[in-house]
């Protein structure tokens, strides 16, 4: 090393130094969708020729890694690295091997956290192009490319290693999709419960809504809170929440129309009772009499009037029949008008709402599922 200057590159006054590079992935440690990065441990090997290190013979010499501080080494770096460190147990994990023609082999083990811009639009059916993976991803393919990085100091060659990653959907199906489907099916159980069982049906509806809300919050907790990402799993959870909430609204409508019909029936029953009381068993009020000096009590029955006077009975019966017939006509017209007005805003049989819901909700949910999976798996 006598006369060797580690601050000057080989062939300082000549052309550029050609450096060969190779990269091995030792382990894939983590991928974070929240931070948009990945962590991996890699073996980086670099090879170049330094004429100042030529020695006689055909052998190679492996030297201690601490000799690196005395040699010139390439200024290789990872531009997208967030954090990285060199392993130093039990010593610095570096290898230096010098060949007789001056070729230097420099190998080291690095763990780095590198940024990766992910498109999570189809999450969890997404495919990412990064260099590493987590246990829920499978490596489909990988390739390398060579390009140039342009900086103010000049143009530098850049070696890029690409990994095509596909996420394992089975984990998300068991953790998110199956529970959400079961919650939707559970909300349909209320269609077979009597509408008079208000606590049971309301309890099922509210419980499924709250559970679905908790499931949605748990699914989003491990993902970045970016408004620009409408993920596939968000779309599916929104669909399930809509069906569950729709089942709760369905019972609210059915119960409302059921109570409305009961109220109208009570009104009809009261009107009919008042009509019967005034026409049959009740008393007929008398307004006046043709005979002077003869008084008639208001509220006297038809039989008492016959004992008093036949003429007055005849007149009073005629007046009473006309009045009763007039009352009957008015009551029947009121009933008909109220019935026509109420029929516009009521359902003939509110129980039909549940019968139709038993078919409409499962059919619509199945149709939406078919469209969802076709779109996100094949488009």
């Amino acid at each position: 090393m006598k006369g060797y200057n580690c601050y000057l590159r080989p062939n300082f006054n000549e052309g550029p130094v050609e450096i060969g590079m190779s990269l091995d992935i030792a382990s894939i440690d983590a991928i974070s969708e929240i931070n948009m990065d990945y962590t991996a441990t890699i073996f980086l090997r670099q090879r170049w020729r330094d004429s100042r290190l030529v020695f006689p013979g055909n052998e190679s010499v492996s030297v201690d890694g601490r000799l690196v501080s005395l040699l010139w080494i390439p200024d290789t770096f990872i531009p997208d690295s967030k954090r990285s460190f060199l392993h130093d147990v039990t010593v610095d994990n570096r290898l230096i091997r010098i060949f007789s023609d001056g070729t230097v082999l420099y190998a080291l083990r690095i763990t780095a956290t590198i940024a990766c811009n992910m498109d999570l639009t189809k999450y969890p059916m997404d495919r990412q192009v990064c260099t590493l993976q987590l246990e829920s991803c499978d490596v489909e393919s990988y390739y390398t490319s060579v390009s140039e990085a342009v900086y103010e100091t000049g143009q530098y060659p850049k070696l890029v290693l690409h990994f095509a990653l596909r996420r394992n959907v089975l984990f998300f199906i068991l953790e998110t999709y199956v529970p959400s489907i079961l919650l939707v099916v559970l909300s349909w159980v209320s269609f077979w419960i009597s509408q008079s069982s208000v606590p049971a049906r309301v309890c099922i509806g509210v419980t499924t809504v709250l559970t679905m809300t908790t499931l949605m919050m748990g699914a989003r907790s491990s993902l970045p809170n970016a408004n620009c990402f409408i993920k596939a799993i968000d779309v599916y959870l929104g669909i399930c929440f809509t069906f569950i909430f729709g089942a709760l609204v369905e019972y609210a409508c059915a119960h409302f129309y059921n109570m409305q019909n009961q109220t109208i029936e009570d009104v009809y029953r009261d009107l009919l009772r008042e009509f019967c009381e005034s026409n049959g068993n009740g008393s007929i009020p008398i307004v006046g009499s043709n005979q002077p000096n003869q008084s008639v009590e208001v509220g006297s029955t038809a039989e008492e009037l016959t004992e008093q006077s036949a003429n007055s009975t005849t007149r009073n019966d005629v007046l009473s029949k006309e009045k009763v017939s007039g009352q009957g006509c008015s009551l029947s017209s009121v009933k008909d008008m109220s019935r026509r007005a109420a029929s516009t805003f009521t359902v003939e049989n509110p129980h039909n709402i549940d019968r139709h819901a038993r078919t409409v909700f499962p059919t619509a949910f199945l149709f939406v599922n078919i469209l969802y999976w076709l779109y996100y798996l094949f488009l």
Side-chain angles (χ1 to χ4, degrees), residues 8-17 51-52:
L8 297 178
R9 66 175 178 83
N11 306 326
F12 180 73
N13 294 323
E14 301 176 6
V17 179
S51 58
R52 296 173 294 180

Side-chain angles (χ1 to χ4, degrees), residues 87-138:
H87 293 262
D88 55 1
V89 178
T90 58
V91 294
D92 290 344
N93 293 182
R94 295 186 290 192
L95 169 68
I96 294 292
R97 178 171 295 175
I98 303 175
F99 295 87
S100 59
D101 61 350
T103 300
V104 180
L105 174 63
Y106 178 44
L108 67 163
R109 186 163 70 105
I110 304 172
T111 296
T113 300
I114 306 171
C116 177
N117 188 19
M118 303 180 186
D119 183 7
L120 301 176
T121 305
K122 291 188 176 182
Y123 178 91
M125 282 81 71
D126 57 329
R127 288 180 171 85
Q128 307 297 339
V129 178
C130 290
T131 58
L132 300 176
Q133 69 167 352
L134 195 56
E135 62 270 10
S136 62
C137 295
D138 300 326

Side-chain angles (χ1 to χ4, degrees), residues 98-310:
I98 303 175
F99 295 87
S100 59
D101 61 350
T103 300
V104 180
L105 174 63
Y106 178 44
L108 67 163
R109 186 163 70 105
I110 304 172
T111 296
T113 300
I114 306 171
C116 177
N117 188 19
M118 303 180 186
D119 183 7
L120 301 176
T121 305
K122 291 188 176 182
Y123 178 91
M125 282 81 71
D126 57 329
R127 288 180 171 85
Q128 307 297 339
V129 178
C130 290
T131 58
L132 300 176
Q133 69 167 352
L134 195 56
E135 62 270 10
S136 62
C137 295
D138 300 326
V139 180
E140 287 189 330
S141 62
Y142 67 92
Y143 62 95
T144 59
S145 63
V146 178
S147 60
E148 287 189 353
V150 180
Y151 299 101
E152 293 182 356
T153 56
Q155 298 181 356
Y156 301 90
K158 180 170 62 175
L159 177 65
V160 184
L161 176 62
H162 304 267
F163 276 95
L165 306 177
R166 179 177 56 86
R167 199 176 302 276
N168 190 357
V169 187
L170 180 61
F171 170 78
F172 296 93
I173 290 177
L174 297 177
E175 186 185 49
T176 304
Y177 284 92
V178 171
S180 60
I181 293 174
L182 293 179
L183 284 175
V184 175
V185 176
L186 178 62
S187 67
W188 298 341
V189 175
S190 62
F191 299 153
W192 280 267
I193 300 178
S194 175
Q195 294 183 1
S196 60
S197 301
V198 178
R201 296 194 64 166
V202 172
C203 181
I204 290 178
V206 174
T207 302
T208 51
V209 168
L210 294 178
T211 307
M212 193 66 206
T213 303
T214 304
L215 188 63
M216 295 172 66
M217 295 176 62
R220 293 179 179 178
S221 61
S222 60
L223 295 174
N225 297 323
N227 297 328
C228 57
F229 289 112
I230 300 178
K231 297 169 282 295
I233 195 170
D234 294 335
V235 175
Y236 193 83
L237 293 177
I239 292 172
C240 293
F241 184 83
T242 302
F243 275 90
I244 292 175
F245 188 77
L248 183 61
V249 173
E250 182 272 343
Y251 174 64
C253 296
H255 184 69
F256 171 77
Y257 287 120
N258 190 18
M259 296 299 296
Q260 191 178 39
N261 283 356
Q262 292 181 1
T263 303
I264 293 174
E265 290 176 359
D266 293 339
V267 172
Y268 289 162
R269 193 177 298 108
D270 293 339
L271 290 175
L272 183 60
R273 184 172 58 254
E274 292 178 1
F275 171 72
C276 293
E277 289 177 355
S278 61
N279 190 19
N281 299 327
S283 60
I284 302 175
I286 304 301
V287 178
S289 176
N290 291 330
Q291 297 180 3
N293 301 327
Q294 184 177 359
S295 62
V296 180
E297 291 183 358
V298 176
S300 299
T301 61
E303 294 178 355
E304 294 174 350
L305 293 175
T306 303
E307 294 176 359
Q308 294 178 3
S309 175

